[in-house]
Amino acid sequence: MGRPDRNNEVLQFAGCDTVELAKTFGTPLYVVDEAVIKGKCNEIRQEFLLKHNNTKAVYAGKAFLNLAMCKIIEREGFGLDVVSGGELYLALEAGFPMEDVFFHGNNKNKSELRLAISNNIGRIVVDSLYELQLIEDVAKELNKKVKILYRLTPGVNSHTHKHIVTGRADSKFGLPIKRENILEAVKRAIKCKFVELMGFHFHVGSQIFDNKSHVDSVERVANVMKLVKVELGYVTKELNTGGGYGIFYTHGDLIRPINYFTDAIMEKIIEKCETLDLEIPTIIIEPGRWIIGEAGITLYTVGSVKEIPNIKKYAFIDGGMTDNLRPALYDAKYEAAIANKYIKEKTEIITIAGKCCETSDILVKNLKLPLVEKGDILVVFSTGAYNYSMANNYNNIPKAAVVLISDGNAEVIVERENYADLIRKNKLPKHLEPFV
Ligand SMILES: Cc1ncc(COP(=O)(O)O)c(C=O)c1O
């Protein structure tokens, strides 16, 4: 978690007083500690990139992406995974080196592919043969050669919420690992004049604490590498093993160092390549949550407190499922505290509810807190990943601001939306315009 100081009455985060942050920038407020991001990147460098030859790290931008984050990731020397034309556009605007960008997604359209290919994207991770044909057509039109990986569905299950499992045989992502499928896909890619097949990709899911599904997937994909070598003489140059490494949200979550996953992946690939007589490809990892999740907190102001005698007590906050969709989407759990009563004794059980018009707009259930009163600042921990990036305008609620703390200085990196932002794209058809 992002370095809270537990000895202070007011929660300090990354060297800043959280109540002051709330006063200065307003709430709800996403606060991100740059030092935590850099620390995570450094751990990846020490424990993966410098430890194993021929490896690459790519940050999965879907977890949290904006111009500042692109710059941090670029300075760390990592690649970037984008999953839509919008994320790609952001990376372009940030001046991110395009040769280090991986373009994912199960239904990329022609205009997204055009944007990617015309800007010399590093890799496109291809989800289907339909997409292969689109890429070949666009690349031909632009007279460019595009490097691709095939996304494979390894057919493994991961122990995480069912909505964030992606490696199972029935997944919407990737090509199923079946002999005929694979041979057909590789043959077709080899035949393409404007495409260069670099290898394979898999991603088994998110918030995973056990390395088994990664290791089992490496085993299966290594068998694919052997198959295509024997049958088609195709040598796999790259294997992207996705992300998915779990982080701390609530007590009981295991905190895994990066090498718990990466050492196991490397051991398996080396062992398989030896036994199957294969060259070891470049191994790529693609974590998102693991890099940014624990670097973020969200601050809210408590408004009304509602007690239903002998049944339940609620504290209502000035945000909710618009800034953190995960509890409503897949029952995600969080730790939270009252920032201005950080070391006060916890005397009540209370449920934190948002301000949206949905019963499921509950952020944290049955939380133990000191007496909660209007005006208190609630802090939710580990909100760096998939909070801001999933923020939405349900109920026409403006999106919260994002503040980055670097060396004790807090700066806005994404401004708070206002009401005018919310209706900027509205248009009145002629027949509804006011009479003059
Ligand atoms: C293809 C791909 N790579 C990487 C990630 C990052 O996952 P995580 O944030 O769990 O590391 C995702 C997340 O959905 C993904 O779909």
Side-chain angles (χ1 to χ4, degrees):
M1 221 191 296
R3 300 182 296 158
D5 174 354
R6 291 176 188 277
N7 297 319
N8 207 302
E9 175 77 5
V10 172
L11 172 70
Q12 306 293 303
F13 180 76
C16 292
D17 178 310
T18 51
V19 172
E20 282 303 316
L21 288 173
K23 260 194 221 150
T24 310
F25 299 103
T27 57
L29 184 69
Y30 299 108
V31 185
V32 175
D33 182 354
E34 187 174 348
V36 173
I37 304 170
K38 287 180 171 166
K40 295 283 186 178
C41 291
N42 198 37
E43 189 177 329
I44 291 176
R45 206 164 15 254
Q46 299 303 325
E47 293 298 325
F48 177 61
L49 299 173
L50 296 176
K51 195 160 155 188
H52 305 283
N53 289 332
N54 206 12
T55 46
K56 269 190 190 156
V58 172
Y59 167 68
K62 68 207 73 174
F64 176 80
L65 200 65
N66 42 62
L67 295 177
M69 188 62 185
C70 282
K71 283 288 173 209
I72 294 172
I73 292 302
E74 181 189 346
R75 286 187 187 177
E76 291 298 321
F78 285 23
L80 182 69
D81 139 8
V82 299
V83 76
S84 68
E87 286 187 355
L88 177 58
Y89 175 79
L90 204 154
L92 282 164
E93 287 292 297
F96 199 91
M98 277 298 119
E99 66 273 18
D100 294 331
V101 177
F102 284 64
F103 190 15
H104 287 272
N106 63 309
N107 195 23
K108 307 171 192 80
N109 62 35
K110 260 195 169 179
S111 72
E112 290 175 313
L113 291 171
R114 222 170 259 130
L115 185 65
I117 296 169
S118 62
N119 284 289
N120 303 318
I121 190 122
R123 302 284 180 276
I124 299 182
V125 181
V126 177
D127 211 78
S128 64
L129 292 187
Y130 165 79
E131 185 185 330
L132 178 73
Q133 190 57 53
L134 280 187
I135 294 170
E136 175 72 353
D137 292 348
V138 173
K140 186 174 175 187
E141 179 188 307
L142 297 169
N143 196 24
K144 301 255 187 192
K145 188 131 188 172
V146 189
K147 292 188 167 134
I148 66 160
L149 302 176
Y150 269 127
R151 178 163 180 167
L152 303 179
T153 318
V156 299
N157 203 0
S158 307
H159 294 282
T160 187
H161 192 281
K162 65 179 189 303
H163 291 174
I164 44 178
V165 168
T166 54
R168 274 174 32 166
D170 61 356
S171 169
K172 78 166 187 168
F173 299 104
L175 300 170
I177 298 190
K178 293 228 171 71
R179 184 189 157 86
E180 293 319 316
N181 280 348
I182 299 292
L183 290 177
E184 168 70 7
V186 173
K187 261 192 239 165
R188 296 246 316 248
I190 293 171
K191 267 198 200 147
C192 286
K193 281 208 179 106
F194 296 88
V195 159
E196 185 183 356
L197 178 64
M198 300 299 290
F200 301 100
H201 167 274
F202 66 79
H203 172 73
V204 287
S206 203
Q207 187 58 1
I208 295 167
F209 288 108
D210 188 334
N211 59 22
K212 189 172 180 321
S213 51
H214 287 88
V215 171
D216 289 353
S217 300
V218 169
E219 164 114 36
R220 289 177 195 197
V221 176
N223 292 337
V224 167
M225 288 161 51
K226 177 72 179 176
L227 172 74
V228 295
K229 187 176 177 194
V230 170
E231 296 290 328
L232 306 170
Y234 175 77
V235 176
T236 304
K237 297 177 205 67
E238 294 178 1
L239 172 57
N240 182 331
T241 59
Y245 316 141
I247 63 160
F248 174 88
Y249 281 104
T250 58
H251 294 291
D253 284 345
L254 293 161
I255 302 179
R256 298 289 201 193
I258 200 78
N259 66 350
Y260 166 75
F261 293 98
T262 48
D263 284 353
I265 289 170
M266 291 310 294
E267 269 165 36
K268 188 46 126 188
I269 191 73
I270 291 166
E271 174 209 312
K272 287 294 286 186
C273 286
E274 257 170 37
T275 49
L276 299 176
D277 191 24
L278 297 167
E279 282 158 50
I280 301 172
T282 301
I283 299 296
I284 301 156
I285 60 166
E286 209 171 50
R289 188 191 309 272
W290 195 89
I291 291 177
I292 185 67
E294 293 171 20
I297 58 171
T298 310
L299 301 174
Y300 301 94
T301 305
V302 174
S304 166
V305 176
K306 169 175 174 172
E307 182 152 19
I308 310 165
N310 303 321
I311 299 183
K312 208 172 186 87
K313 191 167 179 184
Y314 286 104
F316 299 142
I317 50 163
D318 53 356
M321 65 192 293
T322 43
D323 52 77
N324 186 356
L325 192 57
R326 298 183 67 250
L329 196 61
Y330 34 70
D331 203 23
K333 305 279 188 285
Y334 285 91
E335 291 288 340
I338 298 297
N340 50 305
K341 299 174 180 169
Y342 197 58
I343 55 172
K344 280 232 162 74
E345 197 191 341
K346 296 177 177 171
T347 50
E348 61 178 9
I349 303 286
I350 193 157
T351 287
I352 309 297
K355 63 187 270 127
C356 288
C357 206
E358 289 292 328
T359 305
S360 60
D361 183 20
I362 302 285
L363 221 52
V364 192
K365 286 181 191 150
N366 301 327
L367 188 63
K368 211 164 178 211
L369 289 180
L371 179 70
V372 183
E373 296 160 294
K374 70 171 184 323
D376 281 343
I377 300 297
L378 182 93
V379 51
V380 180
F381 297 104
S382 290
T383 59
Y386 304 105
N387 273 227
Y388 163 68
S389 59
M390 286 188 180
N392 60 84
N393 292 123
Y394 182 50
N395 292 162
N396 240 18
I397 293 173
K399 286 185 194 165
V402 186
V403 156
L404 181 73
I405 306 183
S406 316
D407 299 325
N409 293 319
E411 258 187 83
V412 173
I413 56 168
V414 184
E415 281 179 11
R416 185 176 301 286
E417 286 182 344
N418 58 31
Y419 293 145
D421 292 327
L422 296 175
I423 62 163
R424 189 150 288 138
K425 294 287 179 186
N426 277 224
K427 293 247 184 273
L428 268 185
K430 264 263 170 292
H431 72 283
L432 293 178
E433 276 176 6
F435 295 112
V436 274

PDB file of all heavy atoms in Angstrom, residues 60 62-63 81 104 151 201 203 205-207 242-245 286-290 386, ligand 1:
ATOM      1  N   ALA A  60       0.419  -2.603 -18.608  1.00  0.00           N
ATOM      2  CA  ALA A  60      -0.934  -2.708 -19.173  1.00  0.00           C
ATOM      3  C   ALA A  60      -1.709  -1.433 -18.845  1.00  0.00           C
ATOM      4  O   ALA A  60      -2.217  -1.255 -17.737  1.00  0.00           O
ATOM      5  CB  ALA A  60      -1.652  -3.934 -18.622  1.00  0.00           C
ATOM      6  N   LYS A  62      -4.545  -0.288 -19.462  1.00  0.00           N
ATOM      7  CA  LYS A  62      -5.968  -0.292 -19.089  1.00  0.00           C
ATOM      8  C   LYS A  62      -6.149  -0.123 -17.584  1.00  0.00           C
ATOM      9  O   LYS A  62      -7.203   0.292 -17.120  1.00  0.00           O
ATOM     10  CB  LYS A  62      -6.641  -1.579 -19.567  1.00  0.00           C
ATOM     11  CG  LYS A  62      -6.189  -2.827 -18.867  1.00  0.00           C
ATOM     12  CD  LYS A  62      -6.349  -4.046 -19.744  1.00  0.00           C
ATOM     13  CE  LYS A  62      -5.280  -4.010 -20.805  1.00  0.00           C
ATOM     14  NZ  LYS A  62      -5.215  -5.173 -21.647  1.00  0.00           N
ATOM     15  N   ALA A  63      -5.102  -0.426 -16.804  1.00  0.00           N
ATOM     16  CA  ALA A  63      -5.221  -0.300 -15.347  1.00  0.00           C
ATOM     17  C   ALA A  63      -5.325   1.168 -14.915  1.00  0.00           C
ATOM     18  O   ALA A  63      -6.067   1.502 -13.981  1.00  0.00           O
ATOM     19  CB  ALA A  63      -4.031  -0.973 -14.670  1.00  0.00           C
ATOM     20  N   ASP A  81       1.010  -1.494 -23.086  1.00  0.00           N
ATOM     21  CA  ASP A  81      -0.066  -2.260 -23.730  1.00  0.00           C
ATOM     22  C   ASP A  81      -1.287  -1.358 -23.820  1.00  0.00           C
ATOM     23  O   ASP A  81      -1.695  -0.761 -22.824  1.00  0.00           O
ATOM     24  CB  ASP A  81      -0.276  -3.541 -22.906  1.00  0.00           C
ATOM     25  CG  ASP A  81      -1.720  -3.991 -22.666  1.00  0.00           C
ATOM     26  OD1 ASP A  81      -2.653  -3.426 -23.240  1.00  0.00           O
ATOM     27  OD2 ASP A  81      -1.885  -4.935 -21.882  1.00  0.00           O
ATOM     28  N   HIS A 104      -3.693  -4.544 -28.106  1.00  0.00           N
ATOM     29  CA  HIS A 104      -4.557  -5.692 -27.803  1.00  0.00           C
ATOM     30  C   HIS A 104      -5.997  -5.404 -28.189  1.00  0.00           C
ATOM     31  O   HIS A 104      -6.335  -4.284 -28.565  1.00  0.00           O
ATOM     32  CB  HIS A 104      -4.531  -5.958 -26.298  1.00  0.00           C
ATOM     33  CG  HIS A 104      -3.258  -6.548 -25.831  1.00  0.00           C
ATOM     34  ND1 HIS A 104      -3.023  -7.892 -25.821  1.00  0.00           N
ATOM     35  CD2 HIS A 104      -2.140  -5.960 -25.345  1.00  0.00           C
ATOM     36  CE1 HIS A 104      -1.814  -8.115 -25.355  1.00  0.00           C
ATOM     37  NE2 HIS A 104      -1.253  -6.960 -25.067  1.00  0.00           N
ATOM     38  N   ARG A 151      -2.797 -14.081 -29.996  1.00  0.00           N
ATOM     39  CA  ARG A 151      -3.252 -14.357 -28.630  1.00  0.00           C
ATOM     40  C   ARG A 151      -3.871 -15.750 -28.587  1.00  0.00           C
ATOM     41  O   ARG A 151      -4.775 -16.063 -29.369  1.00  0.00           O
ATOM     42  CB  ARG A 151      -4.290 -13.327 -28.175  1.00  0.00           C
ATOM     43  CG  ARG A 151      -4.778 -13.654 -26.776  1.00  0.00           C
ATOM     44  CD  ARG A 151      -5.468 -12.509 -26.114  1.00  0.00           C
ATOM     45  NE  ARG A 151      -5.901 -12.889 -24.781  1.00  0.00           N
ATOM     46  CZ  ARG A 151      -6.318 -12.038 -23.866  1.00  0.00           C
ATOM     47  NH1 ARG A 151      -6.352 -10.761 -24.138  1.00  0.00           N
ATOM     48  NH2 ARG A 151      -6.704 -12.453 -22.673  1.00  0.00           N
ATOM     49  N   HIS A 201       0.963 -14.904 -27.509  1.00  0.00           N
ATOM     50  CA  HIS A 201       0.620 -14.173 -26.282  1.00  0.00           C
ATOM     51  C   HIS A 201      -0.466 -14.949 -25.553  1.00  0.00           C
ATOM     52  O   HIS A 201      -1.306 -15.592 -26.180  1.00  0.00           O
ATOM     53  CB  HIS A 201       0.085 -12.783 -26.660  1.00  0.00           C
ATOM     54  CG  HIS A 201      -0.588 -12.071 -25.518  1.00  0.00           C
ATOM     55  ND1 HIS A 201      -1.916 -12.258 -25.197  1.00  0.00           N
ATOM     56  CD2 HIS A 201      -0.112 -11.181 -24.624  1.00  0.00           C
ATOM     57  CE1 HIS A 201      -2.215 -11.513 -24.141  1.00  0.00           C
ATOM     58  NE2 HIS A 201      -1.147 -10.856 -23.779  1.00  0.00           N
ATOM     59  N   HIS A 203      -2.958 -14.354 -21.744  1.00  0.00           N
ATOM     60  CA  HIS A 203      -3.216 -13.612 -20.500  1.00  0.00           C
ATOM     61  C   HIS A 203      -4.318 -14.380 -19.785  1.00  0.00           C
ATOM     62  O   HIS A 203      -5.410 -14.530 -20.324  1.00  0.00           O
ATOM     63  CB  HIS A 203      -3.662 -12.177 -20.817  1.00  0.00           C
ATOM     64  CG  HIS A 203      -4.118 -11.430 -19.603  1.00  0.00           C
ATOM     65  ND1 HIS A 203      -3.247 -10.973 -18.647  1.00  0.00           N
ATOM     66  CD2 HIS A 203      -5.364 -11.077 -19.170  1.00  0.00           C
ATOM     67  CE1 HIS A 203      -3.928 -10.360 -17.688  1.00  0.00           C
ATOM     68  NE2 HIS A 203      -5.210 -10.412 -17.985  1.00  0.00           N
ATOM     69  N   GLY A 205      -5.844 -13.933 -16.737  1.00  0.00           N
ATOM     70  CA  GLY A 205      -6.835 -13.306 -15.853  1.00  0.00           C
ATOM     71  C   GLY A 205      -6.145 -12.292 -14.971  1.00  0.00           C
ATOM     72  O   GLY A 205      -4.971 -11.984 -15.168  1.00  0.00           O
ATOM     73  N   SER A 206      -6.885 -11.783 -13.985  1.00  0.00           N
ATOM     74  CA  SER A 206      -6.356 -10.690 -13.187  1.00  0.00           C
ATOM     75  C   SER A 206      -6.540 -10.989 -11.693  1.00  0.00           C
ATOM     76  O   SER A 206      -7.406 -11.778 -11.326  1.00  0.00           O
ATOM     77  CB  SER A 206      -7.109  -9.416 -13.580  1.00  0.00           C
ATOM     78  OG  SER A 206      -6.346  -8.280 -13.262  1.00  0.00           O
ATOM     79  N   GLN A 207      -5.725 -10.299 -10.866  1.00  0.00           N
ATOM     80  CA  GLN A 207      -5.777 -10.466  -9.404  1.00  0.00           C
ATOM     81  C   GLN A 207      -5.621 -11.954  -9.035  1.00  0.00           C
ATOM     82  O   GLN A 207      -6.434 -12.537  -8.321  1.00  0.00           O
ATOM     83  CB  GLN A 207      -7.077  -9.842  -8.862  1.00  0.00           C
ATOM     84  CG  GLN A 207      -7.213  -9.767  -7.344  1.00  0.00           C
ATOM     85  CD  GLN A 207      -6.091  -8.972  -6.655  1.00  0.00           C
ATOM     86  OE1 GLN A 207      -5.195  -8.441  -7.268  1.00  0.00           O
ATOM     87  NE2 GLN A 207      -6.121  -8.929  -5.354  1.00  0.00           N
ATOM     88  N   GLY A 242       1.461 -12.157 -20.583  1.00  0.00           N
ATOM     89  CA  GLY A 242       0.381 -11.390 -19.969  1.00  0.00           C
ATOM     90  C   GLY A 242       0.727 -10.851 -18.590  1.00  0.00           C
ATOM     91  O   GLY A 242       1.885 -10.821 -18.172  1.00  0.00           O
ATOM     92  N   GLY A 243      -0.313 -10.423 -17.887  1.00  0.00           N
ATOM     93  CA  GLY A 243      -0.128  -9.890 -16.524  1.00  0.00           C
ATOM     94  C   GLY A 243      -0.971 -10.705 -15.565  1.00  0.00           C
ATOM     95  O   GLY A 243      -1.001 -11.920 -15.654  1.00  0.00           O
ATOM     96  N   GLY A 244      -1.648  -9.997 -14.657  1.00  0.00           N
ATOM     97  CA  GLY A 244      -2.596 -10.693 -13.786  1.00  0.00           C
ATOM     98  C   GLY A 244      -2.141 -10.888 -12.350  1.00  0.00           C
ATOM     99  O   GLY A 244      -2.882 -11.446 -11.541  1.00  0.00           O
ATOM    100  N   TYR A 245      -0.928 -10.421 -12.011  1.00  0.00           N
ATOM    101  CA  TYR A 245      -0.388 -10.694 -10.673  1.00  0.00           C
ATOM    102  C   TYR A 245      -1.190  -9.954  -9.605  1.00  0.00           C
ATOM    103  O   TYR A 245      -1.431  -8.746  -9.717  1.00  0.00           O
ATOM    104  CB  TYR A 245       1.087 -10.270 -10.594  1.00  0.00           C
ATOM    105  CG  TYR A 245       1.901 -10.674 -11.808  1.00  0.00           C
ATOM    106  CD1 TYR A 245       2.866  -9.811 -12.333  1.00  0.00           C
ATOM    107  CD2 TYR A 245       1.696 -11.902 -12.434  1.00  0.00           C
ATOM    108  CE1 TYR A 245       3.599 -10.169 -13.454  1.00  0.00           C
ATOM    109  CE2 TYR A 245       2.429 -12.258 -13.556  1.00  0.00           C
ATOM    110  CZ  TYR A 245       3.367 -11.389 -14.064  1.00  0.00           C
ATOM    111  OH  TYR A 245       4.088 -11.735 -15.178  1.00  0.00           O
ATOM    112  N   GLU A 286       3.393  -8.451 -18.721  1.00  0.00           N
ATOM    113  CA  GLU A 286       2.499  -7.340 -19.054  1.00  0.00           C
ATOM    114  C   GLU A 286       1.619  -6.959 -17.856  1.00  0.00           C
ATOM    115  O   GLU A 286       0.397  -6.954 -17.961  1.00  0.00           O
ATOM    116  CB  GLU A 286       1.611  -7.863 -20.183  1.00  0.00           C
ATOM    117  CG  GLU A 286       1.096  -6.894 -21.156  1.00  0.00           C
ATOM    118  CD  GLU A 286       0.433  -7.655 -22.299  1.00  0.00           C
ATOM    119  OE1 GLU A 286      -0.403  -8.554 -22.065  1.00  0.00           O
ATOM    120  OE2 GLU A 286       0.777  -7.356 -23.446  1.00  0.00           O
ATOM    121  N   PRO A 287       2.219  -6.674 -16.705  1.00  0.00           N
ATOM    122  CA  PRO A 287       1.388  -6.357 -15.543  1.00  0.00           C
ATOM    123  C   PRO A 287       0.807  -4.949 -15.594  1.00  0.00           C
ATOM    124  O   PRO A 287       1.440  -4.024 -16.098  1.00  0.00           O
ATOM    125  CB  PRO A 287       2.361  -6.482 -14.369  1.00  0.00           C
ATOM    126  CG  PRO A 287       3.705  -6.245 -14.954  1.00  0.00           C
ATOM    127  CD  PRO A 287       3.653  -6.637 -16.410  1.00  0.00           C
ATOM    128  N   GLY A 288      -0.387  -4.791 -15.074  1.00  0.00           N
ATOM    129  CA  GLY A 288      -1.002  -3.474 -14.931  1.00  0.00           C
ATOM    130  C   GLY A 288      -1.215  -3.210 -13.449  1.00  0.00           C
ATOM    131  O   GLY A 288      -0.522  -2.413 -12.821  1.00  0.00           O
ATOM    132  N   ARG A 289      -2.159  -3.954 -12.888  1.00  0.00           N
ATOM    133  CA  ARG A 289      -2.538  -3.780 -11.488  1.00  0.00           C
ATOM    134  C   ARG A 289      -1.331  -3.824 -10.542  1.00  0.00           C
ATOM    135  O   ARG A 289      -1.232  -3.041  -9.605  1.00  0.00           O
ATOM    136  CB  ARG A 289      -3.507  -4.924 -11.117  1.00  0.00           C
ATOM    137  CG  ARG A 289      -4.156  -4.793  -9.755  1.00  0.00           C
ATOM    138  CD  ARG A 289      -4.878  -6.106  -9.401  1.00  0.00           C
ATOM    139  NE  ARG A 289      -5.770  -6.555 -10.442  1.00  0.00           N
ATOM    140  CZ  ARG A 289      -7.044  -6.192 -10.566  1.00  0.00           C
ATOM    141  NH1 ARG A 289      -7.587  -5.380  -9.708  1.00  0.00           N
ATOM    142  NH2 ARG A 289      -7.789  -6.684 -11.547  1.00  0.00           N
ATOM    143  N   TRP A 290      -0.400  -4.754 -10.801  1.00  0.00           N
ATOM    144  CA  TRP A 290       0.725  -4.952  -9.879  1.00  0.00           C
ATOM    145  C   TRP A 290       1.591  -3.690  -9.808  1.00  0.00           C
ATOM    146  O   TRP A 290       2.175  -3.387  -8.781  1.00  0.00           O
ATOM    147  CB  TRP A 290       1.549  -6.181 -10.319  1.00  0.00           C
ATOM    148  CG  TRP A 290       2.487  -6.657  -9.258  1.00  0.00           C
ATOM    149  CD1 TRP A 290       2.226  -7.570  -8.277  1.00  0.00           C
ATOM    150  CD2 TRP A 290       3.842  -6.229  -9.055  1.00  0.00           C
ATOM    151  NE1 TRP A 290       3.321  -7.718  -7.475  1.00  0.00           N
ATOM    152  CE2 TRP A 290       4.328  -6.915  -7.932  1.00  0.00           C
ATOM    153  CE3 TRP A 290       4.687  -5.336  -9.712  1.00  0.00           C
ATOM    154  CZ2 TRP A 290       5.622  -6.746  -7.447  1.00  0.00           C
ATOM    155  CZ3 TRP A 290       5.982  -5.153  -9.229  1.00  0.00           C
ATOM    156  CH2 TRP A 290       6.429  -5.859  -8.119  1.00  0.00           C
ATOM    157  N   TYR A 386      -7.739   0.206 -12.241  1.00  0.00           N
ATOM    158  CA  TYR A 386      -9.120  -0.048 -12.663  1.00  0.00           C
ATOM    159  C   TYR A 386     -10.134   0.754 -11.849  1.00  0.00           C
ATOM    160  O   TYR A 386     -11.264   0.302 -11.634  1.00  0.00           O
ATOM    161  CB  TYR A 386      -9.435  -1.559 -12.609  1.00  0.00           C
ATOM    162  CG  TYR A 386      -8.463  -2.377 -13.435  1.00  0.00           C
ATOM    163  CD1 TYR A 386      -7.456  -3.126 -12.830  1.00  0.00           C
ATOM    164  CD2 TYR A 386      -8.516  -2.350 -14.824  1.00  0.00           C
ATOM    165  CE1 TYR A 386      -6.537  -3.839 -13.585  1.00  0.00           C
ATOM    166  CE2 TYR A 386      -7.599  -3.058 -15.585  1.00  0.00           C
ATOM    167  CZ  TYR A 386      -6.616  -3.796 -14.963  1.00  0.00           C
ATOM    168  OH  TYR A 386      -5.712  -4.501 -15.721  1.00  0.00           O
TER     169      TYR A 386
HETATM  170  C1  LIG B   1      -4.017  -8.695 -22.468  1.00  0.00           C
HETATM  171  C2  LIG B   1      -3.843  -8.194 -21.083  1.00  0.00           C
HETATM  172  N1  LIG B   1      -2.611  -8.005 -20.612  1.00  0.00           N
HETATM  173  C3  LIG B   1      -2.400  -7.528 -19.370  1.00  0.00           C
HETATM  174  C4  LIG B   1      -3.461  -7.219 -18.537  1.00  0.00           C
HETATM  175  C5  LIG B   1      -3.157  -6.672 -17.185  1.00  0.00           C
HETATM  176  O1  LIG B   1      -3.719  -7.405 -16.163  1.00  0.00           O
HETATM  177  P1  LIG B   1      -3.365  -6.985 -14.672  1.00  0.00           P
HETATM  178  O2  LIG B   1      -3.742  -5.572 -14.499  1.00  0.00           O
HETATM  179  O3  LIG B   1      -4.179  -7.901 -13.837  1.00  0.00           O
HETATM  180  O4  LIG B   1      -1.889  -7.209 -14.491  1.00  0.00           O
HETATM  181  C6  LIG B   1      -4.765  -7.423 -18.991  1.00  0.00           C
HETATM  182  C7  LIG B   1      -5.911  -7.120 -18.114  1.00  0.00           C
HETATM  183  O5  LIG B   1      -7.045  -7.371 -18.353  1.00  0.00           O
HETATM  184  C8  LIG B   1      -4.969  -7.917 -20.302  1.00  0.00           C
HETATM  185  O6  LIG B   1      -6.195  -8.105 -20.786  1.00  0.00           O
END
